[in-house]
Amino acid sequence: MADESYYKDVFELVKIIPIGRVTSYGAISSCLGLPSPRMVGWALYRSTINQNIPAHRVVNSSGILTGRLNFPDPTMMQILLEKEGVVVEKDKVKDFKKIFWDPNEIEI
DNA sequence: GGATTGACGTCTG
DNA sequence: GCAGACGCCAATC
């Protein structure tokens, strides 16, 4: 609702994530200077059902698709990732460290 | 108006 | 190295 919401930055950040790349909540929260990474998850939770944000590219620090169950379709998350070239093994991103995209690397 | 939960992360034991 | 607890802010019940 409010344009000055912090999660608006989260949307933009997630939107600019390159294809075949994934990032973590902690990276986003740290990049945006959020006090708590939970806010990122909260923002994404609302964004996924409100805007078509590629939240499937956002995983936890372990590279696990923690929020896949929260998606409209749990399988959609893995399908989308695999479609983008991301290898997902058991709801976990393979070579997560390799395809991990750091927002601070590019940023604005 | 108060209590609980929620897509997590980091520290300490 | 693994496990458990705490902290943070906001929205919902």
Side-chain angles (χ1 to χ4, degrees), chain A residues 21-25 54-71 73-82 84 86-94 96 99:
Chain A
R21 282 292 145 87
V22 292
T23 189
S24 61
Y25 302 93
H56 59 268
R57 295 187 193 146
V58 188
V59 294
N60 68 348
S61 60
S62 304
I64 307 172
L65 312 183
T66 46
R68 94 196 131 129
L69 294 172
N70 203 319
F71 265 75
D73 290 308
T75 50
M76 185 179 78
M77 192 171 187
Q78 179 160 342
I79 297 291
L80 288 170
L81 284 171
E82 291 189 332
E84 297 185 350
V86 179
V87 184
V88 181
E89 273 293 303
K90 287 175 173 242
D91 307 323
K92 194 158 40 172
V93 179
K94 197 179 179 170
F96 167 67
I99 65 176

Side-chain angles (χ1 to χ4, degrees), chain A residues 10-62:
Chain A
V10 180
F11 298 159
E12 296 287 299
L13 201 59
V14 175
K15 277 202 225 174
I16 62 177
I17 297 178
I19 306 295
R21 282 292 145 87
V22 292
T23 189
S24 61
Y25 302 93
I28 297 173
S29 67
S30 186
C31 182
L32 299 178
L34 296 181
S36 170
R38 284 201 166 177
M39 315 283 47
V40 182
W42 244 100
L44 281 175
Y45 165 68
R46 298 221 105 222
S47 72
T48 322
I49 60 182
N50 278 295
Q51 315 274 336
N52 57 332
I53 308 290
H56 59 268
R57 295 187 193 146
V58 188
V59 294
N60 68 348
S61 60
S62 304

